[in-house]
Amino acid sequence: MKYNAILVVSFGGPESRDDVIPFLENVLRGRSVPRERMLTVAEHYYHFGGRSPINQQTRELIASLEAKLAQNGPKLPVYWGNRNWHPLLPDALRKMKQDGVRRALAFVTSAYSSYSGCRQYREDIARAQSEIGSDAPEIHKLRAFFNHPGFIEPTVERVQEALQAVPAESRRNIQVIYTAHSIPLSMANTCDYVRQLEDVRQLVSIRLGVSNDALVYQSRSGAPGQPWLEPDILDYLRKVKAGNLASAVVLAPIGFISDHMEVLYDLDVEARQLCDSLALPMVRAKTVGVHPKFVAMIRELIEERVTPGAERRALGSLGPRADLCVEDCCPAPPRPQGRPGAR
């Protein structure tokens, strides 16, 4: 198909203290999450002056992608729309319509398949199209990229850098702890999220020659009685210390592509404070961010859709994800869901 533009779709985040509560109210609209929980998450943002880094990181990613497309093609304009904060998706689609864009490819800043990481973004796009009207741009989402070499190879490099940063006296038995956002079991049971994370864990550890590793979850929220994916990162770190499972730990946030609020607060603040109290040396690996291989991967995903017969690269056991989801793929979990998503 012929495409006129690229749309980068992200979660969005507040950029000032005044933005924090309206942003969280957007995130939580229609969900049964106690206001006390929302105010607790708000404190995470206030710890950093009320500004989430995610929007600036998205700007940097877009600038890198624009430079890559200008250099190597296809020469397509890049637009940006967020789920929960400005620039919002309806505004992005409205601008695209004004500019004469009829059909665009969407890159969503989520590597994995789940309701919140894939299907919900498709619903967000469809809702924005409905708001614009019958002549809204047609949007086709690029495939999930968790096992693409352009995601795995930069992740390996980031974790390797972190391993090298562990103090020499603590290197005798380093454990790499891979982290991802926890989701309700009702959501996890209807998608491949955990299988995909396990595949990435294995792909990265094999390339690093690491055998002492674990996959854990962070940023859990929702009703206390609702089961979510475990183990929680903080509980697991206590287990590592109590069981003498490692001389040091490297936390590798493979569930995220940028160092946004959940990485900065949940790992760099909470996990760091716990590790310090446990006298457990800890280094946190960077996310892929604007690594050149990752930016090149986005261009490659675009080329797949505009070039007939283009190679669809993937590593591991699960193969390349389909471009189009089946009708019942990754359904929404039953309410109440309660996921504030503190980015």
Side-chain angles (χ1 to χ4, degrees):
M1 288 188 178
K2 180 177 177 58
Y3 294 95
N4 309 115
I6 306 300
L7 174 63
V8 173
V9 185
S10 191
F11 192 88
E15 301 200 73
S16 72
R17 288 184 68 90
D18 291 342
D19 292 344
V20 171
I21 296 301
F23 161 73
L24 291 175
E25 288 173 342
N26 273 354
V27 175
L28 297 176
R29 186 170 289 116
R31 301 181 183 185
S32 301
V33 176
R35 188 167 181 82
E36 294 77 16
R37 170 59 186 166
M38 184 187 76
L39 295 177
T40 298
V41 174
E43 290 299 325
H44 300 181
Y45 291 94
Y46 297 147
H47 184 86
F48 293 92
R51 181 182 177 88
S52 168
I54 193 171
N55 274 3
Q56 182 56 34
Q57 291 165 356
T58 305
R59 292 184 187 101
E60 293 167 3
L61 181 63
I62 289 171
S64 298
L65 177 59
E66 287 175 332
K68 191 69 176 178
L69 295 179
Q71 179 182 9
N72 301 108
K75 291 180 169 58
L76 297 172
V78 181
Y79 294 82
W80 172 24
N82 287 329
R83 170 184 288 171
N84 294 300
W85 201 245
H86 307 285
L88 293 166
L89 270 168
D91 297 328
L93 266 63
R94 193 171 289 111
K95 172 63 173 170
M96 293 166 72
K97 174 186 171 182
Q98 292 170 355
D99 292 346
V101 174
R102 299 302 306 149
R103 185 182 293 117
L105 286 166
F107 173 77
V108 171
T109 58
S110 174
Y112 300 88
S113 301
S114 69
Y115 173 72
S116 59
C118 182
R119 187 184 185 100
Q120 189 176 3
Y121 279 109
R122 293 179 183 271
E123 293 175 352
D124 294 334
I125 292 170
R127 192 175 301 111
Q129 290 171 315
S130 178
E131 184 174 325
I132 302 307
S134 59
D135 55 351
E138 188 177 343
I139 309 293
H140 297 164
K141 181 183 175 294
L142 295 169
R143 66 178 170 98
F145 53 84
F146 65 94
N147 58 358
H148 193 287
F151 181 67
I152 298 299
E153 291 170 9
T155 299
V156 170
E157 292 182 29
R158 299 301 200 208
V159 179
Q160 183 64 58
E161 291 166 0
L163 287 166
Q164 293 170 351
V166 174
E169 64 274 14
S170 302
R171 293 182 183 177
R172 63 185 182 278
N173 184 29
I174 303 171
Q175 183 173 95
V176 176
I177 302 176
Y178 299 103
T179 76
H181 204 301
S182 185
I183 61 174
L185 287 184
S186 57
M187 184 189 299
N189 290 337
T190 60
C191 66
D192 290 338
Y193 183 66
V194 174
R195 288 182 63 205
Q196 292 173 3
L197 286 165
E198 288 286 3
D199 217 35
V200 172
R201 165 191 175 178
Q202 185 177 43
L203 287 166
V204 175
S205 285
I206 286 174
R207 282 156 179 75
L208 291 170
V210 167
S211 57
N212 188 3
D213 66 357
L215 172 64
V216 306
Y217 299 93
Q218 62 174 88
S219 313
R220 185 217 189 278
S221 61
Q226 184 182 32
W228 284 51
L229 289 174
E230 296 178 340
D232 173 78
I233 175 63
L234 301 183
D235 293 337
Y236 186 78
L237 288 170
R238 295 185 185 98
K239 177 181 176 182
V240 170
K241 184 64 178 181
N244 194 27
L245 303 181
S247 57
V249 294
V250 165
L251 306 188
I254 58 171
F256 312 94
I257 73 162
S258 68
D259 290 5
H260 55 56
M261 187 61 68
E262 287 169 328
V263 174
L264 295 184
Y265 190 86
D266 295 355
L267 301 184
D268 292 357
V269 176
E270 289 190 329
R272 168 72 63 190
Q273 290 174 349
L274 177 60
C275 285
D276 288 348
S277 72
L278 295 172
L280 178 63
M282 169 203 144
V283 176
R284 198 263 294 171
K286 295 179 181 178
T287 51
V288 293
V290 293
H291 191 292
K293 291 181 180 178
F294 182 67
V295 177
M297 179 208 75
I298 302 174
R299 176 188 171 273
E300 188 174 321
L301 293 175
I302 294 168
E303 283 287 354
E304 284 182 5
R305 301 293 286 271
V306 300
T307 305
E311 181 183 6
R312 297 167 56 85
R313 296 201 296 157
L315 301 171
S317 62
L318 300 180
R321 194 74 177 179
D323 292 332
L324 299 177
C325 295
V326 297
E327 186 67 26
D328 60 348
C329 182
C330 302
R335 301 297 187 192
Q337 181 182 192
R339 177 180 182 271
R343 292 178 170 77

